Amino acid sequence: MEDFSGLHKLTPEERLAKVKRAANLTDDEAAALRDSGALKLDKADKMVENVIGAVHLPLGLATNFVVNGKAMVIPMAVEESSVIAAACKAAKQTLPEGFKAEADDPVMIGQVQLTGVDDVAKAVKNISLNRNEIMAIAIQLMKPHERYGCGARGFEARIIDTLRGPMIIVDFHIAVGDAQGANMVNTVLEGVAPTLAKLTGATVRLRIISNLAVKRRARASAVWRKDVIGEDTVEGVLDASEFARSDVYRCATHNKGIMNGIDAVALATGNDWRSVEAGAHSYASLGQYHPLTHYYKNEKGDLVGSIELPLAVATVGPAMSTSPTAKIALKIMGVKTSRELAMAMACVGLANNFAALAALSTEGIQKGHMKLHARNIAIFAGADAEEADRVAEIISKERNFDAEHAKEVLKRVRKG
Ligand code: MEV
């Protein structure tokens, strides 16, 4: 494995050369990255309505990750300056052991909503009695995907009470392989719905995947040794974690910090980050809204952190062919399956959370954050890469981060 230490000290071109070597990227792939993954207007026009341009984000690499014994560099697309640096630092502090991770088989839940039934109990019974007929349709619809390990696994019918009367909800369990699964699942649901209507006399309403992908969870854990992070940080993270467990205002921000990392990998790999967000926060709300991470101190006094959340992410599917860099990001990571990707993402989420709690509970985040932010302001003020460091240094010293002020400072720098 190529040595990625000190990556931040290299120029973007040098980094690109390094990752090209390490991940065996072709010249075209390296060129696509150098081109900042530019999405051409005509391609964008095929993706959504009324296209007038495309939006770009920086794509960086999180280093120092060892996941289940395998070293990994993880591409992250994010505009917030401290997120990648934080992930790298937290991951480094887990070395040499790194992270342990696992992920469930990729089974998604899809829902059919049946309304307008007088005797819902009888209708549910009728669905059960005709289980084989319903499953045969679902299995048939999944046949084209069977060779990828996909298939209809089962279903459950239940009654919910609503302000519009009782409704029957049929939850289908569909194995979707390395896809996110929405298209496959929704096709099955629309395919079985007429039979459900015939068996129950119901009006079929919604037929849609659930983003609360509880059957498709990923887990990761790591140990941060007290001789590496210091005893005060161990105690600080435990205090911070307990704060989140006991207070929903804090918990929202705690989980946001986790999603900083997870969303950035989702974006880099062309995944639907809105569904990932929906899954994470609805999962966190099961019971009482709770932190997605958990920490405790082991018998040696070291800090053990873990994370668990649904991660319905794909390594194949439409996003891979529309995002110019998604496939390259997966190649850099060296992951092939959706489970491997979910495991890596869980590790990044845990790393970002640990980094935030460690900083917040000790020196605070503003010092590091503003240093990086100052550079962004300098660039926004018109500074080139070299000038940006100087402008950032001055506005940080003067503690004035106003954009107009940064422009003045830039003028001064240019005058020498
Ligand atoms: C900022 O994007 C994320 C944090 O607020 C997360 C946290 O508070 O745990 C720093």
Side-chain angles (χ1 to χ4, degrees):
M1 174 88 184
E2 183 95 20
D3 178 11
F4 277 91
S5 56
L7 196 68
H8 62 286
K9 294 188 195 128
L10 305 182
T11 64
E13 276 299 336
E14 289 167 338
R15 287 183 205 123
L16 193 49
K18 201 178 240 306
V19 78
K20 181 171 187 272
R21 245 188 341 262
N24 245 331
L25 300 184
T26 64
D27 290 343
D28 283 352
E29 286 168 335
L33 290 172
R34 185 176 295 106
D35 199 22
S36 302
L39 180 59
K40 303 285 179 295
L41 218 54
D42 56 345
K43 199 168 180 192
D45 194 39
K46 304 259 171 343
M47 293 165 71
V48 297
E49 285 301 294
N50 303 337
V51 162
I52 56 161
V55 173
H56 289 168
L57 285 174
L59 180 68
L61 294 178
T63 55
N64 306 324
F65 277 82
V66 170
V67 180
N68 294 335
K70 182 181 152 202
M72 219 179 215
V73 273
I74 306 183
M76 298 173 78
V78 62
E79 86 297 346
E80 193 176 326
S81 34
S82 51
V83 172
I84 299 177
C88 294
K89 184 175 174 194
K92 191 171 185 181
Q93 291 171 327
T94 67
L95 295 176
E97 286 80 10
F99 296 82
K100 288 197 174 66
E102 54 168 43
D104 297 332
D105 282 339
V107 174
M108 296 300 291
I109 297 171
Q111 303 186 293
V112 179
Q113 179 195 26
L114 302 170
T115 64
V117 179
D118 290 334
D119 190 343
V120 280
K122 187 170 157 212
V124 166
K125 198 161 169 213
N126 216 18
I127 292 173
S128 281
L129 288 173
N130 291 277
R131 175 168 290 276
N132 291 347
E133 183 192 348
I134 298 163
M135 276 308 290
I137 300 168
I139 288 166
Q140 187 58 34
L141 286 163
M142 288 298 290
K143 268 258 147 45
H145 313 289
E146 252 172 22
R147 66 200 154 110
Y148 304 113
C150 307
R153 297 286 183 259
F155 71 84
E156 279 155 28
R158 61 197 166 92
I159 299 163
I160 57 168
D161 286 317
T162 81
L163 292 178
R164 289 175 64 82
M167 297 175 183
I168 300 166
I169 307 300
V170 190
D171 298 312
F172 282 85
H173 305 155
I174 314 277
V176 298
D178 293 320
Q180 192 251 3
N183 284 336
M184 262 184 255
V185 171
N186 295 342
T187 302
V188 169
L189 301 177
E190 293 194 5
V192 293
T195 305
L196 292 171
K198 190 185 74 192
L199 290 169
T200 57
T203 302
V204 174
R205 294 293 189 195
L206 275 59
R207 289 141 288 166
I208 186 73
I209 196 164
S210 169
N211 290 128
L212 177 48
V214 283
K215 294 192 171 294
R216 198 176 182 181
R217 277 175 275 175
R219 293 160 212 88
S221 63
V223 177
W224 281 275
R225 290 201 323 270
K226 72 166 190 276
D227 60 310
V228 175
I229 61 170
E231 271 177 47
D232 187 46
T233 302
V234 172
E235 299 303 325
V237 172
L238 290 171
D239 283 342
S241 164
E242 194 55 19
F243 181 9
R245 214 181 54 78
S246 314
D247 181 80
V248 70
Y249 291 90
R250 172 56 207 153
C251 194
T253 323
H254 177 107
N255 286 343
K256 189 271 181 182
I258 294 170
M259 301 315 288
N260 271 346
I262 290 180
D263 285 346
V265 184
L267 269 162
T269 55
N271 271 285
D272 176 353
W273 75 97
R274 287 91 55 212
S275 71
V276 170
E277 278 282 333
H281 290 285
S282 54
Y283 182 68
S285 309
L286 291 179
Q288 191 185 341
Y289 188 74
H290 63 271
L292 294 165
T293 52
H294 175 73
Y295 294 90
Y296 70 92
K297 191 164 51 170
N298 68 13
E299 63 291 344
K300 292 184 195 151
D302 299 332
L303 184 74
V304 184
S306 61
I307 186 169
E308 180 181 62
L309 78 167
L311 277 169
V313 288
T315 52
V316 296
M320 299 308 130
S321 44
T322 46
S323 159
T325 49
K327 263 199 205 137
I328 307 173
L330 292 172
K331 190 166 169 186
I332 292 172
M333 285 174 85
V335 301
K336 292 222 158 45
T337 66
S338 62
R339 287 180 62 241
E340 285 173 301
L341 176 59
M343 287 189 246
M345 287 169 80
C347 296
V348 175
L350 178 60
N352 273 102
N353 178 243
F354 166 79
L357 302 192
L360 285 166
S361 63
T362 55
E363 62 169 17
I365 56 166
Q366 279 316 86
K367 204 167 119 209
H369 191 77
M370 289 317 282
K371 201 168 134 204
L372 293 165
H373 185 53
R375 217 175 172 277
N376 285 351
I377 292 171
I379 287 168
F380 177 74
D384 65 24
E386 245 172 63
E387 294 164 338
D389 288 334
R390 184 77 193 111
V391 173
E393 194 184 307
I394 296 171
I395 63 176
S396 299
K397 212 175 264 167
E398 293 174 353
R399 291 181 164 272
N400 184 346
F401 298 98
D402 182 70
E404 287 308 312
H405 177 65
K407 283 185 192 161
E408 285 303 316
V409 173
L410 178 60
K411 274 189 206 152
R412 271 173 16 214
V413 166
R414 283 186 178 160
K415 274 191 197 142

